[in-house]
Amino acid sequence: MIVGVLNQKGGVGKTTVAVNLAATYARDGRRVLLIDADPQGSAMAWSSSRDAEPPFSIVGMAKPTLHRDLPRLARDYDIVIIDGAPRVNDLGRSAILASDYVLIPVQPSPYDVWAAADTVALIREAQVMKEQLKAAFVVNRRIARTAIGRDAADALAQFQDVPVLAAALHQRVVYAESVARGLSVIEAAPSSEAARELEALAAEVLVANEGKTA
């Protein structure tokens, strides 16, 4: 299974979602590969900041031939997560074509909802060549006890072929704190609310892809 974490808008938390999803699956005993397909190399930088090896493999592949090069690497893993690039259409298209499932992080902001159309357009374009490709939105950095996250999900309903996942990630300090320590949330705070949210997201993505529970 190859999951692309992608959004043509920057600053939506793609790397945070990708790294923490990879760590969650690895904690569950799966062989996981994280592909850093962003020229900024944020996931690679996170890996380099660690005192110990990450719990999953990580490779930098920010190139428009990703969809042709990745299948050879993916054979050795149960799950591949792609941390995609923002605002780079050739890289974005390649990452989408390489994916079985595209997860689109969206912050609860009108700007993010408006920008989502660009990513959905790329996915629909790819589905012409890859009909089995699936995609879904995940609301990221949702603010607790507000209606903003629900309003964002309602607004995203305009994209009828791209559902909004029930699992959402809230705005929590532990995400920034774990990155500063070179850790994933699952490692830094395994019993936290953030860890439980990530577990719910990981399980929902598996169900959508494989039709089975995690």
Side-chain angles (χ1 to χ4, degrees):
M1 178 178 76
I2 302 176
V3 179
V5 182
L6 298 155
N7 193 320
Q8 288 294 286
K9 182 179 182 299
V12 297
K14 293 188 303 299
T15 300
T16 297
V17 173
V19 164
N20 281 289
L21 263 186
T24 301
Y25 287 130
R27 191 276 313 270
D28 292 340
R30 293 181 171 87
R31 295 170 299 167
V32 180
L33 171 64
L34 175 62
I35 298 292
D36 190 340
D38 188 341
Q40 294 180 353
S42 298
M44 294 295 291
W46 170 84
S47 177
S48 298
S49 72
R50 293 175 57 91
D51 293 329
E53 290 294 317
F56 49 82
S57 300
I58 180 167
V59 174
M61 293 182 69
K63 52 185 181 178
T65 57
L66 177 62
H67 61 291
R68 294 197 295 268
D69 300 336
L70 185 55
R72 177 179 55 82
L73 287 176
R75 287 196 299 263
D76 296 328
Y77 297 91
D78 300 316
I79 297 176
V80 178
I81 307 290
I82 302 172
D83 180 18
R87 298 184 299 275
V88 186
N89 284 350
D90 57 344
L91 294 179
R93 287 189 180 94
S94 186
I96 289 170
L97 285 170
S99 302
D100 301 313
Y101 186 87
V102 177
L103 187 62
I104 311 168
V106 179
Q107 294 183 115
S109 153
Y111 298 109
D112 281 49
V113 173
W114 297 333
D118 294 335
T119 305
V120 172
L122 285 177
I123 292 168
R124 288 171 177 166
E125 178 184 298
Q127 285 171 331
V128 174
M129 296 176 282
K130 193 172 183 177
E131 293 182 5
Q132 72 274 25
L133 177 65
K134 298 178 182 179
F137 293 107
V138 57
V139 177
N140 188 34
R141 296 173 182 156
R142 182 173 183 173
I143 301 172
R145 295 183 293 279
T146 71
I148 298 174
R150 185 186 65 238
D151 292 345
D154 290 345
L156 291 168
Q158 65 184 286
F159 304 106
Q160 297 181 2
D161 52 337
V162 183
V164 181
L165 296 184
L169 304 181
H170 287 73
Q171 184 168 296
R172 301 185 189 279
V173 174
V174 69
Y175 286 105
E177 289 179 341
S178 60
V179 170
R181 296 169 55 193
L183 298 173
S184 65
V185 168
I186 291 292
E187 294 171 296
S191 300
S192 65
E193 287 295 328
R196 283 189 280 274
E197 290 172 357
L198 287 163
E199 289 163 356
L201 175 61
E204 192 170 1
V205 169
L206 275 183
V207 168
N209 275 272
E210 303 175 0
K212 62 184 182 182
T213 57

